[in-house]
Amino acid sequence: MTPNDAYSPASVTSADHIDDAANLLSYAKADAIQQQLPFAGSLTPVDAWRLVQIGAASLVDVRTNEERKFVGHVPGSQHIAWATGTALTRNPRFVKEFESKLKDKTAVFVLLCRSGKRSAAAAEVLTKAGFVNVFNITEGFEGEINENQQRGQIGGWRLHSLPWVQD
């Protein structure tokens, strides 16, 4: 199975889950080395969800409380805000909160923000703090801004019809 193949739970065995996860993570890590990323790697929303579904990764939403409440969030995801409020003031306790909630520095974590930029910065900081398998979710929850200054039409978790809810 290649990283871009569709995931169908009925068509794979437990061994396939392990191979699929290992392949996705190896591909992302190799790409990160080539791109000289300061964290383990980047994954598409679809690939990140595939890893979460098979239990190979934990999803951590690093957006603000306001974004989660008013824009939506992934059910079952952890939440540790990288920044707070509408001014996006950096959370000085981010690493401490992460370490407190998610203690295993060798576990695989996939980070989600609005567009993939804050989650990349968070992945870098967590890597410097000793977490070795932190991956950024490219495109984020809403994707990039289009020519009409709108999100949600160019990439993103929601555009790929992945699970999400809104309060």
XYZ file of all heavy atoms in Angstrom, residues 98-161:
497
model
N 2.226 19.526 27.230
C 2.366 18.350 26.371
C 2.997 17.209 27.164
O 2.502 16.082 27.152
C 3.220 18.700 25.141
C 2.989 17.797 23.964
C 2.140 18.175 22.944
C 3.626 16.563 23.870
C 1.927 17.357 21.843
C 3.420 15.743 22.781
C 2.562 16.133 21.770
N 4.079 17.518 27.847
C 4.771 16.493 28.653
C 3.864 15.940 29.742
O 3.916 14.743 30.044
C 6.041 17.078 29.281
C 7.138 17.331 28.281
C 8.321 18.088 28.872
O 8.152 18.848 29.843
O 9.424 17.925 28.318
N 3.039 16.776 30.315
C 2.133 16.351 31.378
C 1.036 15.417 30.854
O 0.718 14.409 31.481
C 1.502 17.581 32.030
O 0.535 17.208 32.968
N 0.452 15.748 29.701
C -0.637 14.946 29.130
C -0.137 13.733 28.362
O -0.770 12.675 28.360
C -1.492 15.796 28.191
C -2.385 16.784 28.880
C -3.265 17.491 27.864
C -4.212 18.456 28.524
N -5.094 19.118 27.553
N 0.974 13.882 27.648
C 1.459 12.853 26.726
C 2.918 12.545 27.062
O 3.827 13.056 26.443
C 1.296 13.337 25.285
C -0.129 13.782 24.943
C -0.167 14.603 23.692
C -1.048 12.579 24.850
N 3.107 11.709 28.028
C 4.414 11.511 28.647
C 5.444 10.758 27.801
O 6.628 10.967 27.947
C 4.224 10.780 29.972
C 3.349 11.568 30.932
C 3.037 10.782 32.161
C 2.094 11.413 33.117
N 1.775 12.778 33.080
N 5.001 9.882 26.932
C 5.914 9.013 26.184
C 6.584 9.783 25.045
O 5.965 10.062 24.019
C 5.165 7.811 25.638
C 6.055 6.800 24.941
O 7.274 7.049 24.791
O 5.531 5.745 24.541
N 7.849 10.084 25.216
C 8.572 10.871 24.213
C 8.917 10.069 22.954
O 9.398 10.645 21.984
C 9.826 11.496 24.823
C 9.492 12.592 25.819
C 10.688 13.402 26.203
C 10.255 14.592 27.047
N 11.348 15.536 27.272
N 8.656 8.764 22.955
C 8.920 7.957 21.762
C 7.638 7.643 20.983
O 7.705 7.113 19.876
C 9.630 6.637 22.124
O 8.765 5.856 22.955
C 10.952 6.903 22.822
N 6.479 7.973 21.548
C 5.210 7.710 20.868
C 5.089 8.592 19.626
O 5.750 9.625 19.508
C 4.043 7.975 21.814
N 4.229 8.175 18.710
C 3.995 8.934 17.477
C 2.837 9.904 17.708
O 1.745 9.501 18.101
C 3.679 7.995 16.292
C 3.344 8.804 15.036
C 4.837 7.046 16.041
N 3.102 11.186 17.456
C 2.097 12.235 17.583
C 1.960 12.957 16.254
O 2.964 13.289 15.626
C 2.488 13.243 18.670
C 2.613 12.627 20.027
C 3.863 12.405 20.585
C 1.487 12.253 20.750
C 3.994 11.823 21.833
C 1.605 11.669 22.004
C 2.858 11.451 22.556
N 0.734 13.207 15.838
C 0.468 14.008 14.648
C -0.231 15.277 15.114
O -1.211 15.227 15.851
C -0.356 13.231 13.594
C 0.471 12.106 12.993
C -1.647 12.669 14.161
N 0.326 16.428 14.725
C -0.161 17.717 15.200
C -0.980 18.425 14.134
O -0.589 18.490 12.972
C 1.009 18.619 15.605
C 2.009 18.060 16.619
C 3.027 19.138 16.988
C 1.322 17.516 17.857
N -2.104 18.999 14.578
C -3.043 19.662 13.678
C -3.274 21.096 14.127
O -3.520 21.357 15.300
C -4.379 18.908 13.706
C -5.512 19.432 12.842
C -5.194 19.220 11.366
C -6.812 18.723 13.207
N -3.188 22.030 13.180
C -3.563 23.429 13.431
C -4.485 23.866 12.287
O -5.076 23.030 11.616
C -2.336 24.328 13.569
S -1.437 24.610 12.034
N -4.601 25.153 12.046
C -5.496 25.638 10.994
C -4.976 25.312 9.598
O -5.707 24.825 8.745
C -5.701 27.154 11.131
C -6.618 27.722 10.062
C -6.816 29.211 10.206
N -5.529 29.883 10.183
C -5.278 31.054 10.758
N -6.226 31.699 11.392
N -4.082 31.591 10.695
N -3.678 25.587 9.346
C -3.155 25.418 7.986
C -1.877 24.585 7.909
O -1.367 24.352 6.825
C -2.884 26.790 7.362
O -1.850 27.443 8.079
N -1.337 24.170 9.045
C -0.102 23.391 9.059
C 1.133 24.189 9.425
O 2.222 23.636 9.496
N 0.979 25.460 9.676
C 2.142 26.294 10.012
C 2.444 26.289 11.510
O 3.575 26.053 11.923
C 1.934 27.713 9.501
C 1.955 27.781 7.968
C 1.627 29.174 7.464
C 1.595 29.245 5.959
N 0.564 28.459 5.331
N 1.436 26.545 12.345
C 1.665 26.518 13.800
C 2.014 25.110 14.271
O 2.850 24.935 15.160
C 0.430 27.022 14.559
C 0.309 28.528 14.550
C -0.935 28.971 15.262
N -2.076 28.758 14.377
C -3.330 28.659 14.766
N -3.657 28.728 16.036
N -4.294 28.484 13.878
N 1.387 24.105 13.669
C 1.691 22.729 14.071
C 3.125 22.364 13.695
O 3.781 21.594 14.411
C 0.683 21.741 13.480
O 0.537 21.920 12.091
N 3.649 22.914 12.614
C 5.057 22.686 12.255
C 5.970 23.334 13.288
O 6.963 22.729 13.717
C 5.354 23.234 10.855
N 5.634 24.548 13.719
C 6.439 25.218 14.754
C 6.368 24.441 16.063
O 7.384 24.273 16.752
C 5.948 26.650 14.951
N 5.190 23.946 16.402
C 5.030 23.151 17.626
C 5.821 21.854 17.531
O 6.454 21.433 18.511
C 3.551 22.866 17.865
N 5.812 21.219 16.371
C 6.574 19.977 16.176
C 8.062 20.220 16.373
O 8.767 19.408 16.981
C 6.305 19.405 14.782
N 8.540 21.351 15.877
C 9.953 21.683 16.042
C 10.310 21.856 17.526
O 11.314 21.324 18.011
C 10.304 22.957 15.273
C 11.752 23.362 15.417
C 12.125 24.585 14.591
O 11.277 25.111 13.850
O 13.301 24.993 14.688
N 9.491 22.585 18.255
C 9.743 22.823 19.679
C 9.677 21.512 20.464
O 10.507 21.261 21.341
C 8.743 23.869 20.227
C 8.744 23.901 21.745
C 9.074 25.239 19.667
N 8.715 20.667 20.141
C 8.604 19.378 20.843
C 9.786 18.467 20.535
O 10.270 17.746 21.418
C 7.285 18.695 20.482
C 6.045 19.370 21.062
C 4.780 18.791 20.437
C 6.013 19.251 22.581
N 10.277 18.519 19.314
C 11.458 17.733 18.947
C 12.658 18.199 19.758
O 13.413 17.371 20.288
C 11.723 17.825 17.432
O 10.579 17.302 16.744
C 12.961 17.047 17.030
N 12.820 19.496 19.893
C 13.915 20.036 20.710
C 13.769 19.632 22.175
O 14.759 19.542 22.890
C 13.977 21.559 20.582
C 14.502 22.017 19.238
C 14.505 23.534 19.125
C 14.982 23.956 17.756
N 14.853 25.405 17.525
N 12.524 19.385 22.620
C 12.266 18.980 24.001
C 12.427 17.474 24.201
O 12.215 16.970 25.296
C 10.866 19.421 24.424
N 12.790 16.752 23.124
C 13.074 15.328 23.254
C 12.036 14.371 22.718
O 12.211 13.153 22.781
N 10.929 14.879 22.163
C 9.945 14.012 21.519
C 10.489 13.648 20.139
O 10.843 14.529 19.362
C 8.589 14.710 21.413
C 7.878 14.832 22.728
C 8.106 15.920 23.557
C 6.990 13.855 23.149
C 7.463 16.041 24.783
C 6.339 13.959 24.363
C 6.578 15.049 25.188
N 10.566 12.345 19.839
C 11.285 11.920 18.633
C 10.400 11.566 17.440
O 10.909 11.399 16.333
C 12.229 10.732 18.946
C 13.326 11.167 19.900
C 11.464 9.541 19.497
N 9.098 11.462 17.652
C 8.192 11.064 16.569
C 7.015 12.028 16.448
O 5.854 11.627 16.476
C 7.677 9.640 16.795
C 8.744 8.605 16.591
O 9.381 8.578 15.538
N 8.964 7.768 17.588
N 7.330 13.308 16.289
C 6.287 14.323 16.155
C 6.187 14.717 14.689
O 7.170 15.131 14.070
C 6.591 15.555 17.023
C 5.480 16.582 16.886
C 6.771 15.157 18.476
N 4.974 14.583 14.146
C 4.723 14.846 12.733
C 3.714 15.981 12.584
O 2.742 16.061 13.333
C 4.181 13.592 12.039
C 5.178 12.476 11.969
C 5.372 11.640 13.056
C 5.937 12.279 10.829
C 6.303 10.613 13.011
C 6.871 11.257 10.770
C 7.058 10.430 11.871
N 3.937 16.823 11.612
C 3.029 17.908 11.262
C 1.999 17.388 10.267
O 2.331 16.620 9.362
C 3.829 19.053 10.633
C 2.947 20.180 10.181
O 2.054 20.609 10.888
N 3.204 20.667 8.975
N 0.754 17.824 10.427
C -0.269 17.506 9.423
C -0.323 18.683 8.455
O -0.738 19.789 8.821
C -1.647 17.263 10.063
C -1.575 16.075 11.028
C -2.698 17.041 8.972
C -2.861 15.812 11.784
N 0.149 18.440 7.236
C 0.125 19.485 6.212
C -1.326 19.857 5.916
O -2.234 19.063 6.121
C 0.799 19.009 4.915
O 0.085 17.874 4.424
C 2.252 18.652 5.137
N -1.540 21.027 5.459
C -2.860 21.562 5.102
C -3.681 21.947 6.327
O -4.600 22.740 6.212
C -3.675 20.578 4.245
C -3.012 20.153 2.959
C -3.815 19.105 2.221
O -5.049 19.004 2.426
O -3.203 18.364 1.434
N -3.414 21.370 7.500
C -4.157 21.702 8.700
C -5.625 21.327 8.639
O -6.038 20.484 7.849
N -6.401 21.970 9.478
C -7.830 21.686 9.575
C -8.619 22.381 8.464
O -9.571 21.840 7.936
C -8.346 22.136 10.951
C -9.725 21.667 11.295
C -9.955 20.347 11.629
C -10.794 22.546 11.300
C -11.227 19.902 11.957
C -12.071 22.121 11.626
C -12.285 20.791 11.958
N -8.189 23.597 8.104
C -8.946 24.405 7.136
C -8.238 24.647 5.816
O -8.857 25.153 4.886
C -9.269 25.776 7.741
C -10.131 25.733 8.966
C -10.380 27.120 9.494
O -11.169 27.856 8.861
O -9.769 27.472 10.511
N -6.949 24.349 5.717
C -6.218 24.574 4.479
C -5.770 26.016 4.303
O -5.920 26.860 5.189
N -5.217 26.280 3.147
C -4.684 27.617 2.833
C -5.793 28.576 2.419
O -6.893 28.167 2.055
C -3.660 27.514 1.690
C -2.384 26.811 2.080
C -1.573 27.568 3.123
O -1.657 28.821 3.188
O -0.858 26.901 3.882
N -5.463 29.844 2.410
C -6.384 30.887 1.960
C -6.399 30.912 0.431
O -5.351 30.899 -0.201
C -5.954 32.263 2.510
C -6.090 32.278 4.029
C -6.766 33.382 1.884
C -5.583 33.560 4.665
N -7.590 30.982 -0.144
C -7.694 31.046 -1.604
C -7.643 32.495 -2.080
O -7.441 33.414 -1.289
C -8.955 30.315 -2.099
C -10.249 31.019 -1.723
O -10.280 32.160 -1.260
N -11.367 30.323 -1.918
N -7.853 32.712 -3.377
C -7.759 34.059 -3.951
C -8.843 34.995 -3.423
O -8.714 36.215 -3.520
C -7.804 34.000 -5.487
C -9.119 33.532 -6.075
C -9.298 32.010 -6.101
O -8.352 31.278 -5.750
O -10.404 31.547 -6.460
N -9.916 34.449 -2.837
C -10.984 35.259 -2.252
C -10.820 35.443 -0.747
O -11.761 35.838 -0.061
C -12.351 34.634 -2.542
C -12.645 34.604 -4.016
O -12.373 35.566 -4.725
N -13.193 33.502 -4.490
N -9.613 35.121 -0.248
C -9.300 35.246 1.180
C -10.188 34.355 2.053
O -10.600 34.735 3.146
C -9.397 36.710 1.638
C -8.464 37.646 0.886
C -6.997 37.245 1.060
O -6.499 37.210 2.165
N -6.325 36.926 -0.030
N -10.465 33.134 1.554
C -11.295 32.179 2.281
C -10.531 30.873 2.465
O -9.760 30.461 1.595
C -12.582 31.889 1.506
C -13.444 33.105 1.309
C -14.576 32.840 0.334
O -14.466 32.006 -0.561
N -15.670 33.554 0.515
N -10.764 30.241 3.592
C -10.192 28.920 3.851
C -11.248 27.850 3.592
O -12.427 28.135 3.502
C -9.704 28.815 5.296
C -8.512 29.697 5.569
C -7.890 29.397 6.921
N -6.891 30.387 7.242
C -5.622 30.317 6.866
N -5.195 29.294 6.186
N -4.777 31.279 7.184
N -10.789 26.610 3.499
C -11.705 25.487 3.371
C -11.905 24.998 1.948
O -12.647 24.052 1.720
N -11.236 25.632 0.986
C -11.397 25.228 -0.407
C -10.099 24.740 -1.026
O -10.101 24.205 -2.128
C -11.985 26.384 -1.213
C -13.356 26.780 -0.715
C -13.874 28.036 -1.387
O -13.246 28.610 -2.265
N -15.044 28.471 -0.964
N -8.977 24.968 -0.320
C -7.668 24.496 -0.793
C -7.072 23.635 0.318
O -6.433 24.143 1.238
C -6.716 25.666 -1.126
C -7.329 26.576 -2.183
C -5.362 25.135 -1.585
C -6.499 27.815 -2.481
N -7.322 22.356 0.258
C -6.769 21.423 1.233
C -7.424 21.533 2.593
O -8.380 22.271 2.811
N -6.900 20.755 3.520
C -7.387 20.775 4.885
C -8.166 19.532 5.270
O -8.701 18.812 4.420
N -8.192 19.281 6.549
C -8.864 18.115 7.131
C -10.310 18.027 6.672
O -10.783 16.992 6.220
C -8.788 18.236 8.657
C -9.262 17.051 9.406
C -10.546 16.759 9.781
C -8.465 15.968 9.883
N -10.591 15.587 10.458
C -9.321 15.080 10.548
C -7.093 15.687 9.825
C -8.864 13.918 11.140
C -6.640 14.531 10.425
C -7.518 13.651 11.070
N -11.035 19.134 6.786
C -12.463 19.125 6.443
C -12.685 18.905 4.951
O -13.616 18.200 4.566
C -13.128 20.422 6.890
C -13.168 20.563 8.398
C -13.981 21.728 8.879
N -13.746 22.939 8.131
C -14.364 24.077 8.360
N -15.258 24.177 9.309
N -14.089 25.146 7.652
N -11.852 19.505 4.116
C -12.017 19.357 2.671
C -11.882 17.890 2.246
O -12.537 17.446 1.309
C -11.006 20.213 1.911
C -11.187 20.236 0.394
C -12.441 21.016 0.022
C -9.969 20.834 -0.280
N -11.059 17.135 2.979
C -10.872 15.711 2.676
C -11.968 14.838 3.273
O -11.886 13.618 3.231
C -9.504 15.239 3.175
C -8.361 15.812 2.408
N -8.026 15.403 1.142
C -7.461 16.785 2.732
C -6.971 16.087 0.711
N -6.614 16.938 1.659
N -13.002 15.480 3.836
C -14.151 14.779 4.422
C -13.746 13.806 5.524
O -14.348 12.744 5.667
C -14.944 14.043 3.325
O -15.424 14.955 2.379
